[in-house]
Amino acid sequence: MTDDSLYGGRVLLLAAVEDELGDDAADLARRCDLVFTGVGKLRAFEATLAALSRHDYAAVVNVGTCGSLVHRTGTVLRPSEVWQGGLYIDSVFASEPERVASGSAGVSLVTVDNFISPETPRAELDVLARYDCFEMEGYAVLRALRFHAAQHGGRMPRVMMVKGVSDNVDGSLEEWFVKLERVRPALIDATDSVLTELGV
């Protein structure tokens, strides 16, 4: 559950890598606690728990890039449901999504284990096409928040997610860095708006 009495307090901003925020990282870090988790679910889970062990947060904002087979490059999304990908979709291990109350209704994100590229098997791409976007950290961040809350009285911070579409499965990891330059301004603008909404 969300305790709105905490609204406007200390804010944690989580991003996978500094490249996603570029030169704006320093300005954002002056407004909130900025942590770079590293790429992938395990690193994101551990970094989120480590940050939560240092401070109590009114809000946690997870910002970063994503791929999409549905939305154009440069689109900024606010997911409201976040699924764990890989083995946990379309199998006996399938699980329910994490919900983000602040997200846009019906916008779905799936957190995968590998960089999605033109070499990704067609069957996997067909599954990913059911979701608005995909990336490699979001679900783990949300599970870390829920785990920490369960260990400390059940109080969840306000959670917000901001994801900018950097590619449409049309390039390599190296090309992602080039495409990132095009999506970063919109991603930074959306992040600024969220932090302003949170009062920081």
Side-chain angles (χ1 to χ4, degrees):
M1 66 180 180
T2 300
D3 184 348
D4 287 330
S5 67
L6 294 174
Y7 197 72
R10 193 167 192 150
V11 175
L12 172 63
L13 180 64
L14 297 169
V17 293
E18 193 167 353
D19 293 287
E20 291 179 301
L21 303 181
D23 293 338
D24 293 281
D27 289 336
L28 293 171
R30 283 190 280 271
R31 299 171 65 183
C32 59
D33 292 353
L34 173 59
V35 171
F36 295 107
T37 65
V39 175
K41 294 177 187 175
L42 182 57
R43 287 178 176 173
F45 187 85
E46 292 175 341
T48 302
L49 284 182
L52 295 174
S53 73
R54 293 190 290 269
H55 300 290
D56 289 326
Y57 288 99
V60 176
V61 182
N62 177 219
V63 59
T65 57
C66 61
S68 179
L69 291 163
V70 179
H71 300 279
R72 294 184 307 171
T73 299
T75 304
V76 177
L77 301 168
R78 295 283 302 277
S80 59
E81 56 182 52
V82 182
W83 300 78
Q84 180 168 202
L87 180 67
Y88 300 95
I89 291 179
D90 282 354
S91 79
V92 296
F93 301 106
S95 57
E96 289 298 307
E98 291 291 318
R99 306 287 180 181
V100 182
S102 67
S104 301
V107 175
S108 57
L109 164 69
V110 59
T111 299
V112 296
D113 296 299
N114 302 297
F115 182 77
I116 304 300
S117 74
E119 285 71 48
T120 299
R122 182 74 253 170
E124 185 174 351
L125 293 177
D126 288 343
V127 171
L128 294 177
R130 303 176 198 165
Y131 302 88
D132 287 282
C133 59
F134 43 84
E135 44 83 279
M136 301 176 70
E137 295 81 30
Y139 185 85
V141 167
L142 296 177
R143 285 302 296 265
L145 290 170
R146 190 170 300 284
F147 178 82
H148 183 268
Q151 300 297 307
H152 298 85
R155 188 172 67 184
M156 284 279 287
R158 183 172 174 83
V159 181
M160 307 176 94
M161 303 189 86
V162 181
K163 301 293 176 175
V165 178
S166 59
D167 68 276
N168 300 123
V169 191
D170 51 2
S172 65
L173 180 57
E174 290 72 24
E175 291 170 310
W176 174 80
F177 288 98
V178 176
K179 295 178 179 181
L180 180 57
E181 299 297 325
R182 296 197 291 269
V183 70
R184 189 187 292 123
L187 185 62
I188 294 298
D189 284 348
T191 303
D192 174 72
S193 294
V194 165
L195 293 180
T196 299
E197 180 183 340
L198 292 169
V200 296

